[in-house]
Amino acid sequence: MNIITNNEALREQIRQYKQSGKSIGFVPTMGYLHEGHLSLIEEARKNHDIVVLSIFVNPLQFGPNEDFERYPRDAERDRKLAEHAGVDLLFMPVVDEIYPTGLSVTMLVKERVDVMCGRKREGHFDGVVTVLTKLFHLVQPDSAYFGMKDAQQVAVVEGLVQDYFFPIEIVRVPTIREEDGLAKSSRNVYLSPQERREAPILFKSLQLAKGLVERGHLKRDSIIRKVTELIHDETSGTVDYVEIYSFPQMVPVEPLQGDIIIALAVQFDKARLIDNMIISLGKKESQHV
Ligand code: AMP
């Protein structure tokens, strides 16, 4: 595995791959790798000659009171896992390599962000599309792989690529979970043992919602209420949001129809966990509210 930390060396290596006609699959991450990340790498491995993994904790996507400084990092462990997973090129730049100067042009996401994490984490998705634009230009992948664990990110990135004609296919990869249903996340290490025991309720509440919807219960408010109550009653976390929209448009639909997302965020003492489920209902004429 080739490990590169600067843009020039990365560009040179990418030039060589392109010259020899290799296809490139790209997996952008913030590191502290777990099976969720590894499943993206595995998908990319299946479809491409070369797999490029980036590990970069992007300061621009963290708010002033968020966990940028204490975000878990373990470069040595990540290197081993990446190598074992069959990554060809690991790109691990420092912050100054990606942001050597202030930005003279900034990016502002306008759609799909006035809901869920976009509403709660102001500027977060602006930071995400900024770093991805830089990484996409450096890596020039044929496809980039994103986890549905961060479904709103998938929706926003699909918008970016479409609007700005990036010649990159965005591949959606299903959420990888622990055996008890908790979505794997680098932030799960912040949970206390008691919170860890409670955390699978998040997935259970999404399953409850799915069951209700599939049995023809199509009223958003009552589903949201039931999910919120379950989390409130059975965990010590505080519900940040429970929301339901069309996916990937992220607009309310009533009654529920087409592809919908049920998404939630719950704040525990030191960890804010998110999860979601996509449910495909028969397509009727859509009526946005
Ligand atoms: P992160 O390092 O948290 O920025 O995540 C990097 C990529 O891994 C993103 O596309 C995430 O959606 C994806 N990812 C994180 N957790 C999971 C998971 N449990 N299952 C599938 N993909 C995931």
Side-chain angles (χ1 to χ4, degrees), residues 190-224:
Y190 298 152
L191 294 169
S192 71
Q194 173 61 26
E195 290 173 335
R196 176 62 189 83
R197 282 191 286 278
E198 297 168 357
I201 297 292
L202 274 53
F203 181 53
K204 290 212 176 73
S205 73
L206 292 172
Q207 286 177 310
L208 167 84
K210 184 167 192 255
L212 287 168
V213 171
E214 285 175 350
R215 288 198 299 279
H217 201 96
L218 301 180
K219 286 230 179 315
R220 298 167 69 226
D221 287 354
S222 76
I223 296 167
I224 289 171

Side-chain angles (χ1 to χ4, degrees), residues 55-212:
I55 294 182
F56 180 64
V57 184
N58 174 32
L60 232 61
Q61 69 191 68
F62 288 77
N65 298 318
E66 294 185 2
D67 55 347
F68 173 69
E69 295 297 342
R70 66 187 182 98
Y71 192 83
R73 295 161 168 90
D74 189 339
E76 195 40 49
R77 181 173 162 274
D78 283 350
R79 260 200 287 270
K80 286 189 191 128
L81 286 170
E83 176 134 42
H84 191 249
V87 167
D88 298 285
L89 193 168
L90 173 57
F91 181 50
M92 302 175 86
V94 295
V95 171
D96 281 353
E97 192 66 25
I98 299 296
Y99 301 110
T101 56
L103 294 167
S104 59
V105 177
T106 59
M107 304 185 73
L108 185 69
V109 185
K110 289 175 67 173
E111 284 183 4
R112 306 177 175 184
V113 289
D114 55 345
V115 298
M116 295 163 39
C117 288
R119 185 156 50 84
K120 298 285 176 172
R121 302 181 68 189
E122 205 191 327
H124 168 71
F125 287 110
D126 301 336
V128 169
V129 297
T130 303
V131 77
L132 285 176
T133 297
K134 286 172 173 265
L135 292 170
F136 285 167
H137 282 128
L138 289 168
V139 176
Q140 300 172 52
D142 296 279
S143 307
Y145 291 76
F146 290 86
M148 286 301 286
K149 153 100 187 339
D150 301 284
Q152 189 169 20
Q153 173 167 274
V154 171
V156 167
V157 173
E158 287 180 355
L160 169 73
V161 164
Q162 217 174 332
D163 286 356
Y164 288 90
F165 309 133
F166 282 88
I168 301 172
E169 176 202 20
I170 300 301
V171 181
R172 301 176 181 179
V173 181
T175 301
I176 302 294
R177 299 177 180 281
E178 304 285 355
E179 271 181 21
D180 59 13
L182 174 64
K184 299 222 180 208
S185 164
S186 307
R187 290 188 169 100
N188 291 348
V189 295
Y190 298 152
L191 294 169
S192 71
Q194 173 61 26
E195 290 173 335
R196 176 62 189 83
R197 282 191 286 278
E198 297 168 357
I201 297 292
L202 274 53
F203 181 53
K204 290 212 176 73
S205 73
L206 292 172
Q207 286 177 310
L208 167 84
K210 184 167 192 255
L212 287 168

